[in-house]
Amino acid sequence: MENNRHRNALGFAIILLFFGYSIWHVLLRPAARDDDERVTLRIGHWLMHAGMRESFEEAAREYERLHPGVRVEQIAVPIRSWSAWVRTQLIGGTAPDLTGQLHLDEEILSRHFIPLDERLDLPNPYNEGSPLAGIPWRDTFTDGLAAVRNLNPNSGELTGVYLQLNSLRLFYNKRLLRLVTGSEEPPATYAQLRALRDQVDRYNAAHGTLLEPVAGCGPYSQYFFQRLLPSQTQRLAPTISPMRNLQVPLPDFAGLILEGRLDYRTPELRDSLALLRDVSALMSPGFTQLRRDDALFSFLQQHAVAIVAGTWDYAVFVRDGDFETGVIPIPLPDRDDPMFGHNVLGVVAEGGGGPEGMLGVVRTSRHPDLALDFLRFLTSHRVASRFTELSKRISSVHEVPAPSDSPALAPQLEGEAPGFNIDFQNLGAGHTFTLFQRHLHTLIGPQGGVEPFLAAFERDLATTLRRDLATHIARAERDTRNLDARIGFVLSLPDGFADPEELERLLEVRTLRHTEHLRHRRAVQP
Amino acid sequence: MPHHPLRAVRARRGLLSLLVPLLASLAWAEDAADTSALPEPWRSALRFEFNRASEEFARLHAEDPADARLALGRAASLLARQPRTQANVLAARALLERIATSGSASVDQAIAARLFLGRLAESHLSPPRPEEARERYDALLRDHAGHLLADQAAVHLALLTAFPGPGDDALPPDEVRSRIDALRERVGTPSARRELHALQARLLLQRGLDQEALPHLVAARAVGYRQPDHNANADLTIGNIARTTGDAALALSHYRAFLRERPRDARATTVRRYIAELEAAESTAPAVASTR
């Protein structure tokens, strides 16, 4: 009884303590802020990699100097908590004025973020005196923000802009490379990269070390394979591209397999598997079970000569690595590659890179005008250049050079069109991708091989492809129905709000999504 | 009364530096591109807040049942609100039937309602009723061909013809082709013509008839798309087919259009190579001719 009373008292005390803290947090802290009579502009993001918070901090302080009545406060949230945090803030109406848009879908973006379309047609005033002066803000981004618009196919709105572009690179430890190969010259081709395995083995045997050629982990190896394997379908893609545009969309690839017009015995697909097996030899056994931090730790601890990682990781290597880091584009098989060159058209272009650091102005912001102004400031040529130097990342803004110490981080725009990947990542609900991953161990490793993998993978392939296609067409059908409703809303708008162009756009998108639904539905049937 | 920092700053300091960005974008939050400028319930509806919009449309519609515009909005909200139920779809259908047949609705509203009735039969009712949809689309097109929404009925008819359901018999490809051509003859709006040309092209490409698909692709592209990247992709498709079928001039013009639109695309270098090859072939052709 006595113990129970003590436990209850302790429980109440803890609750009271937290309640008191909450009161202080909600009531007193904002009051303290208001005392300095400045407007507080808050920016919430997940970008906690090395250099990012520092970059935001420096930009914020400079903006405050330009606008003494404004205080900029950044709220950096760990990426693991980001999804839950941002949704809670948006729904609760407490999201920062500028909020990151990672993991947010179109409905949330449209509901909680102000469209920027009209403002993007105007020049960014902070670009005065730069090479981008007078250019519409939208056109100061490398892809004209097409990546943002693609996120909102139904509403067609531009609800944010992004700060950076991500790519994949091979980072190497110059000291270790010199020890192992006798030179700091990094591998220029896939064949040279592949030779690193034997060179490291010889070095380990001679020196009793346990070096690995490349530090690998589950997620980064996926990125690695996705960059590498399209080299093998480069020649095939134009010949089977349904719209003759050098691309083979995943649902069409699935359809070709289900119709029996293509299979994994096709030489190019088989060679893709062989290449995946071959490159896996560069990483330690069991790499698929490791996480990003494991791989980074291994590289930073100098247990691996190189690592395939994102351009977003470079600042970590510079800051935490006790060695000089070199950086090169991923060495891909070229046409002269003795094993994989016959499928190659040329070095595969990587396009402009993936958008990163997407930010928008929330509808609940008390200072949407200031938030917009700060966003323009952040994406101006001068601030973006400084951001790039500090964060060691590639800017999304035109004419902003790569960090001065690592020009190799810049996207590799020159190169032949890539082929397609063969693991069906991102198709439907991911059943086929899971199947691929589940049997990957039969492909890689000393005991693995293409035949054992195919024997296991092809057993359930048709079933998982149909399930993924069913999800794909169900999404298209749902979009079509929602677009029907949206068209109804636009048709019913009061006088003075009619928007014929928007109506035409919606009709076009509906036909597109409806076609996507209809043309694959037969393939779902066994 | 919550303290408003911006008001405080303006009142006490009037800082010019703060006013510069403020003046530059004073009325931004109310701009037309933003749905905040819209009245309710359209504002909620276009922000994907369907249930809230649905309730407001229901209230407004109850106040003025004869207003066809509100009835259409109410029907649309019933299609979008969650959970999606057959009862809501049927209620939407009843509203649309009334709009289509009532004398108080405008011609445009009646046409919209009739198109929606076809869409409900095709995609919203469970199980779908493709035959009813066909009949409704056909009747709408017969009565109002040339109207933007009626012409959409032709697009839906063509899609139903091109992609029959899993249990339906597929028509012979040439029959599908002639039906889509016939539908295209009936429409008057560029967007419907574009969709019918694009569909015909897709079906011909599926059959490997690239040369025959080419004029349809060119016609669709001439109308143009509003979605990002679609024009560029169409240019690349036309360029590739024209190149392989020997129309170098057409290929070059569409390849160049693709590069203007997508200079950083991962396919841009390949396209530049195609252009260089075509230009080299063009420059050697007259030389060869002149030596003859």
Side-chain angles (χ1 to χ4, degrees):
Chain A
M1 284 293 282
E2 188 67 16
N3 276 349
N4 275 347
R5 265 206 301 275
H6 283 142
R7 261 203 298 270
N8 287 342
L10 183 66
F12 276 121
I14 291 171
I15 289 168
L16 273 176
L17 195 67
F18 275 100
F19 183 70
Y21 172 77
S22 304
I23 295 286
W24 173 80
H25 188 80
V26 172
L27 297 179
L28 301 182
R29 283 190 62 206
R33 276 177 213 151
D34 286 353
D35 284 347
D36 75 4
E37 297 178 350
R38 289 186 295 174
V39 173
T40 300
L41 197 64
R42 295 181 308 143
I43 173 167
H45 63 83
W46 68 95
L47 299 157
M48 297 179 76
H49 294 90
M52 289 303 288
R53 276 177 292 182
E54 295 83 345
S55 303
F56 276 117
E57 205 57 34
E58 184 175 305
R61 298 295 82 81
E62 189 182 341
Y63 190 80
E64 288 170 355
R65 277 195 294 279
L66 285 173
H67 306 290
V70 183
R71 198 168 80 91
V72 181
E73 178 184 300
Q74 67 166 316
I75 302 166
V77 179
I79 195 165
R80 285 180 191 171
S81 333
W82 174 258
S83 285
W85 183 86
V86 71
R87 278 175 166 74
T88 307
Q89 298 294 320
L90 288 169
I91 291 165
T94 53
D97 304 272
L98 278 174
T99 294
Q101 299 181 333
L102 182 71
H103 298 159
L104 301 181
D105 61 24
E106 181 177 18
E107 288 195 14
I108 292 180
L109 292 173
S110 186
R111 193 174 296 176
H112 296 288
F113 289 85
I114 298 176
L116 304 175
D117 298 65
E118 292 202 345
R119 292 291 145 171
L120 284 159
D121 291 337
L122 303 172
N124 180 345
Y126 291 103
N127 276 332
E128 278 306 313
S130 81
L132 303 177
I135 296 174
W137 189 21
R138 178 201 314 262
D139 296 334
T140 64
F141 295 91
T142 49
D143 70 344
L145 296 177
V148 185
R149 200 181 287 284
N150 287 337
L151 288 176
N152 299 322
N154 294 344
S155 71
E157 294 167 342
L158 288 166
T159 46
V161 301
Y162 55 90
L163 305 180
Q164 293 162 335
L165 294 165
N166 282 339
S167 297
L168 209 61
R169 288 290 176 270
L170 183 89
F171 300 95
Y172 60 97
N173 180 323
K174 288 187 177 178
R175 188 186 69 86
L176 286 181
L177 188 69
R178 191 174 57 247
L179 287 176
V180 169
T181 66
S183 160
E184 282 187 13
E185 196 62 35
T189 64
Y190 175 75
Q192 289 172 13
L193 176 66
R194 186 61 184 80
L196 199 57
R197 173 80 266 175
D198 291 339
Q199 292 169 313
V200 167
D201 285 347
R202 281 196 297 273
Y203 181 85
N204 284 338
H207 298 86
T209 52
L210 293 169
L211 283 177
E212 287 296 335
V214 174
C217 65
Y220 280 13
S221 64
Q222 287 304 326
Y223 298 152
F224 191 9
F225 300 154
Q226 281 162 16
R227 177 83 181 114
L228 202 60
L229 269 50
S231 66
Q232 297 306 292
T233 46
Q234 248 185 331
R235 287 182 188 275
L236 179 65
T239 66
I240 62 169
S241 171
M243 292 307 292
R244 316 296 191 262
N245 60 6
L246 310 178
Q247 289 180 329
V248 183
L250 284 180
D252 293 284
F253 178 27
L256 288 170
I257 289 179
L258 289 169
E259 289 165 18
R261 293 164 62 193
L262 194 68
D263 64 31
Y264 279 81
R265 316 280 161 171
T266 306
E268 292 86 350
L269 270 56
R270 210 184 152 82
D271 288 341
S272 296
L273 292 170
L275 177 57
L276 194 158
R277 172 173 164 69
D278 191 62
V279 75
S280 298
L282 288 167
M283 294 174 273
S284 57
F287 67 89
T288 56
Q289 304 303 315
L290 300 177
R291 293 177 303 175
R292 167 186 177 268
D293 289 351
D294 300 321
L296 261 58
F297 186 74
S298 173
F299 181 65
L300 288 169
Q301 291 294 306
Q302 307 196 59
H303 296 156
V305 177
I307 184 170
V308 171
T311 47
W312 58 91
D313 289 314
Y314 180 53
V316 180
F317 303 142
V318 171
R319 186 191 65 185
D320 299 340
D322 193 19
F323 51 86
E324 198 179 346
T325 302
V327 51
I328 54 167
I330 306 287
L332 302 173
D334 57 19
R335 293 169 70 162
D336 298 328
D337 189 283
M339 288 171 70
F340 301 103
H342 55 284
N343 293 321
V344 175
L345 271 174
V347 173
V348 179
E350 64 181 355
E356 167 75 300
M358 207 173 286
L359 295 165
V361 181
V362 295
R363 292 188 187 277
T364 50
S365 168
R366 288 196 293 177
H367 319 295
D369 38 17
L370 275 179
L372 172 75
D373 193 67
F374 185 62
L375 198 54
R376 288 194 290 213
F377 178 75
L378 272 181
T379 54
S380 65
H381 184 270
R382 189 174 58 79
V383 177
S385 301
R386 184 67 189 143
F387 223 92
T388 291
E389 280 304 321
L390 282 174
S391 66
K392 306 288 181 197
R393 291 180 174 213
I394 299 300
S395 176
S396 61
V397 178
H398 261 315
E399 310 279 346
V400 173
S404 51
D405 61 346
S406 45
L409 290 176
Q412 195 178 359
L413 297 175
E414 288 300 312
E416 293 286 345
F420 54 93
N421 262 303
I422 59 165
D423 60 5
F424 285 103
Q425 190 173 20
N426 301 324
L427 176 66
H431 296 296
T432 310
F433 179 64
T434 304
L435 181 75
F436 193 96
Q437 296 303 313
R438 194 191 313 147
H439 295 300
L440 192 59
H441 69 279
T442 63
L443 176 65
I444 60 181
Q447 311 304 320
V450 172
E451 276 309 320
F453 172 80
L454 286 178
F457 177 63
E458 288 187 322
R459 208 166 34 231
D460 297 318
L461 178 62
T463 305
T464 59
L465 284 177
R466 286 199 178 92
R467 289 174 67 195
D468 283 332
L469 270 183
T471 304
H472 175 75
I473 67 169
R475 287 175 184 158
E477 188 178 28
R478 184 197 58 198
D479 286 351
T480 308
R481 287 177 180 152
N482 284 340
L483 283 159
D484 279 332
R486 198 169 183 92
I487 289 166
F489 295 135
V490 169
L491 284 169
S492 71
L493 281 168
D495 292 335
F497 291 95
D499 189 347
E501 288 200 3
E502 174 63 0
L503 177 62
E504 291 245 15
R505 190 192 69 79
L506 287 169
L507 292 171
E508 180 184 316
V509 185
R510 180 178 65 183
T511 302
L512 185 79
R513 296 302 287 154
H514 195 36
T515 305
E516 193 63 13
H517 167 223
L518 296 178
R519 73 191 187 91
H520 290 297
R521 62 182 173 172
R522 282 199 166 214
V524 173
Q525 305 298 315
Chain B
M1 189 74 180
H3 177 64
H4 197 299
L6 182 54
R7 226 171 280 141
V9 170
R10 274 180 175 166
R12 294 178 201 174
R13 295 193 176 181
L15 291 168
L16 186 62
S17 58
L18 174 62
L19 286 176
V20 169
L22 286 182
L23 289 172
S25 51
L26 197 59
W28 175 53
E30 302 299 325
D31 267 352
D34 183 5
T35 47
S36 6
L38 291 173
E40 284 292 356
W42 290 274
R43 178 167 49 192
S44 296
L46 293 176
R47 286 185 190 173
F48 297 85
E49 295 178 51
F50 300 129
N51 287 17
R52 182 193 291 187
S54 176
E55 279 148 30
E56 184 62 8
F57 269 121
R59 191 183 65 74
L60 293 173
H61 174 63
E63 284 174 7
D64 188 1
D67 187 328
R69 186 196 308 276
L70 290 173
L72 183 59
R74 167 78 178 132
S77 71
L78 283 166
L79 298 179
R81 71 166 298 146
Q82 294 295 321
R84 193 179 161 273
T85 65
Q86 185 80 343
N88 283 341
V89 179
L90 291 173
R93 188 170 69 162
L95 283 165
L96 293 165
E97 292 275 13
R98 276 203 292 278
I99 301 169
T101 54
S102 86
S104 61
S106 69
V107 173
D108 286 347
Q109 287 164 340
I111 291 173
R114 288 178 68 182
L115 177 65
F116 268 90
L117 285 166
R119 293 292 306 128
L120 260 55
E122 187 188 351
S123 296
H124 293 260
L125 284 169
S126 182
R129 300 174 188 180
E131 272 315 307
E132 180 191 326
R134 273 192 197 95
E135 285 166 17
R136 287 187 182 277
Y137 292 146
D138 196 49
L140 179 57
L141 190 60
R142 192 177 55 237
D143 295 345
H144 296 286
H147 186 283
L148 175 71
L149 297 178
D151 281 359
Q152 286 295 308
V155 176
H156 289 290
L157 271 174
L159 287 170
L160 281 169
T161 307
F163 306 114
D168 299 339
D169 291 332
L171 292 169
D174 285 336
E175 176 64 20
V176 172
R177 183 177 178 175
S178 65
R179 287 193 187 193
I180 293 173
D181 281 342
L183 283 167
R184 201 177 57 249
E185 293 302 314
R186 294 171 69 185
V187 301
T189 46
S191 56
R193 272 208 309 277
R194 177 195 62 216
E195 299 301 353
L196 293 167
H197 275 301
L199 176 63
Q200 190 72 280
R202 179 183 281 279
L203 298 173
L204 290 167
L205 290 177
Q206 210 169 292
R207 295 165 64 190
L209 301 172
D210 291 21
Q211 184 125 33
E212 293 176 49
L214 191 55
H216 292 288
L217 290 162
V218 171
R221 176 64 184 90
V223 177
Y225 295 89
R226 288 167 193 275
Q227 281 296 95
D229 300 343
H230 282 213
N231 284 328
N233 270 320
D235 283 323
L236 188 49
T237 298
I238 294 168
N240 282 338
I241 296 173
R243 178 176 55 89
T244 52
T245 55
D247 190 340
L250 185 67
L252 281 168
S253 87
H254 284 276
Y255 279 148
R256 287 171 185 144
F258 171 82
L259 288 179
R260 277 196 300 276
E261 188 86 6
R262 302 279 302 162
R264 293 169 63 91
D265 194 285
R267 298 164 291 178
T269 304
T270 302
V271 170
R272 282 187 205 102
R273 176 167 61 81
Y274 291 156
I275 289 175
E277 288 168 3
L278 287 169
E279 285 173 341
E282 268 189 346
S283 65
T284 54
V288 171
S290 67
T291 56
R292 281 183 183 169

